[in-house]
Amino acid sequence: MNGLLWAILPLGAAAQLRAAPRPPSSLFGLPSNAAGGLGVPLQIILLLTALTLLPAAVMSVTPFLRITVVLHFLRQALGTQSTPSNQVLIGLALFLTLLIMQPVGSEIYHQAWQPLDRGQISFEQALAAGAQPLRGFLLRFAREKDIQLFLEASRRPAPRTPADLDLAVLVPAYILSELRTGFQIGAVLFLPFLIIDLVVASVTLSIGMMQLPPVMLSAPIKILLFVLVDGWNLVVGSLFKSFYP
């Protein structure tokens, strides 16, 4: 009986070792050290590094860039230095960005993340599949002149089709195009408020009100005019329609 017990114990120990959970060999399908690739600790470091760059990516390759530039110009044109606060403007820009980018994010989720989560494609294939919807969005707003600039700067040959453009060229071209568009919209917003400032300054100088700064008189007039025309609805609606006409 004792001999049979000593013979069964090693088998039970081996079964427990097989059933015990083992540390993962890879993350998101990346090759591990056993396959001559990256180990799990290094993969975690790379993932955390990518997460630190995520805010910069959100601000650069989404409508967040144009929206924040326009809202900043609007606040300067109104003459309210700290109202609305930066937190309010950034929060508004962030939620508008989420609303505008929802179709693109949905495509990336269905084309890249779901197949990767099910193990149907590798991590490299998921990156390529997820880049396609983002590339299509950036191509809609990146100017050809800006794309040509970065193609020449990087000394890369011109692609046969726009879909073959590398994101390393397309992303900075999109940023330049969005900055240009944001400044154009900001200049248009500035003009009516600048006219109000000029009129108020001319009136105060003509009646000899030298002690009272014209800005103190024009600021309430600009705010009242902006509220009467429902300015926030017009500005936000125009920004939204500029991405999805």
Side-chain angles (χ1 to χ4, degrees):
M1 188 66 179
N2 290 336
L4 181 61
L5 181 62
W6 283 107
I8 293 176
L9 283 178
L11 296 177
Q16 290 182 356
L17 288 176
R18 287 195 300 268
R22 297 182 180 180
S25 59
S26 64
L27 294 174
F28 304 113
L30 291 174
S32 62
N33 278 333
L38 303 176
V40 174
L42 186 56
Q43 292 179 26
I44 294 175
I45 293 175
L46 293 177
L47 179 61
L48 293 178
T49 304
L51 289 178
T52 58
L53 299 176
L54 183 61
V58 170
M59 290 186 294
S60 301
V61 299
T62 62
F64 187 88
L65 177 59
R66 182 191 302 186
I67 295 171
T68 51
V69 170
V70 171
L71 293 180
H72 174 75
F73 273 108
L74 176 61
R75 187 174 65 178
Q76 294 294 323
L78 286 172
T80 56
Q81 300 299 324
S82 59
T83 304
S85 63
N86 290 331
Q87 291 82 357
V88 173
L89 293 183
I90 292 176
L92 176 60
L94 182 60
F95 281 105
L96 287 176
T97 301
L98 293 175
L99 184 61
I100 296 171
M101 292 295 293
Q102 182 180 2
V104 179
S106 179
E107 289 183 22
I108 294 175
Y109 177 77
H110 291 298
Q111 296 181 15
W113 181 258
Q114 280 189 339
L116 177 65
D117 189 43
R118 297 169 183 168
Q120 299 174 352
I121 59 177
S122 63
F123 185 76
E124 291 79 8
Q125 292 173 335
L127 287 179
Q132 292 301 323
L134 180 61
R135 183 180 288 107
F137 176 81
L138 299 181
L139 280 171
R140 292 176 54 192
F141 304 102
R143 295 193 307 161
E144 184 178 352
K145 184 178 181 180
D146 295 328
I147 295 175
Q148 184 64 32
L149 170 65
F150 288 103
L151 281 176
E152 295 175 356
S154 60
R155 297 181 179 180
R156 300 188 181 190
R160 290 178 294 181
T161 61
D164 296 332
L165 274 172
D166 192 359
L167 288 178
V169 172
L170 191 55
V171 168
Y174 170 81
I175 294 174
L176 282 188
S177 301
E178 286 297 284
L179 286 174
R180 179 178 181 271
T181 304
F183 272 74
Q184 286 179 337
I185 299 175
V188 173
L189 286 175
F190 242 107
L191 289 178
F193 298 108
L194 180 61
I195 293 173
I196 294 175
D197 287 332
L198 292 176
V199 171
V200 172
S202 300
V203 171
T204 54
L205 289 176
S206 63
I207 63 179
M209 296 178 61
M210 300 296 184
Q211 294 81 10
L212 187 63
V215 177
M216 295 187 63
L217 293 177
S218 62
I221 297 175
K222 291 188 292 186
I223 295 174
L224 181 61
L225 177 63
F226 187 74
V227 172
L228 289 176
V229 300
D230 200 4
W232 287 111
N233 184 279
L234 292 175
V235 172
V236 172
S238 300
L239 282 173
F240 189 84
K241 292 177 182 177
S242 66
F243 288 98
Y244 292 101

